[in-house]
Amino acid sequence: MDVKSLKLEITSRSITHNSKPVFPKFVRVYKYGSKLVIRADNGLYEKGMTYCLTYYDDFGMPIPNQVKDRLANTKIPEFLEKVHDAAVYLGSTGKLYVPYPEPDRQH
């Protein structure tokens, strides 16, 4: 967070971890990254912001463009809704964490 420029950057990337092993019946995205830059229009604690989201991934397998487009048109808005929810949560509780439960995965 840069208070002088009223800017916040959130970066995410893919990782591997022994607690989340590879399962053949699931597609694992090995290369993923995103950067969300949020700039307050007036002040950090006032309404109004401008944001830019960049994102890339590599599924490691060919996926038709129609499927990619559908995912991009549904998952990115869902992600931004979660960002909004996190901002509302932060504003109402002062906490930086929104406890989204991990999906229950059957092996």
Side-chain angles (χ1 to χ4, degrees):
M1 178 185 290
D2 185 345
V3 177
K4 284 186 179 181
S5 67
L6 305 176
K7 186 170 67 172
L8 172 70
E9 290 186 19
I10 301 170
T11 304
S12 63
R13 64 181 175 86
S14 56
I15 62 168
T16 59
H17 195 276
N18 293 339
S19 69
K20 301 294 181 187
V22 175
F23 289 101
K25 70 183 213 178
F26 296 110
V27 175
R28 165 124 339 151
V29 178
Y30 289 98
K31 294 181 183 178
Y32 161 85
S34 70
K35 182 180 275 191
L36 176 63
V37 179
I38 304 169
R39 190 182 75 238
D41 292 336
N42 300 304
L44 291 175
Y45 300 99
E46 297 177 29
K47 292 182 179 180
M49 69 174 182
T50 303
Y51 67 90
C52 177
L53 174 65
T54 57
Y55 164 88
Y56 72 90
D57 64 23
D58 180 1
F59 285 96
M61 59 186 268
I63 296 177
N65 285 337
Q66 186 178 19
V67 173
K68 288 182 197 177
D69 290 345
R70 177 135 172 95
L71 289 172
N73 289 326
T74 58
K75 295 304 176 187
I76 290 175
E78 286 176 17
F79 170 75
L80 291 176
E81 184 67 31
K82 287 181 181 181
V83 169
H84 175 263
D85 292 347
V88 170
Y89 185 85
L90 173 62
S92 64
T93 67
K95 296 179 182 178
L96 295 175
Y97 173 70
V98 178
Y100 285 106
E102 281 203 27
D104 182 28
R105 300 211 177 180
Q106 308 248 337
H107 304 279

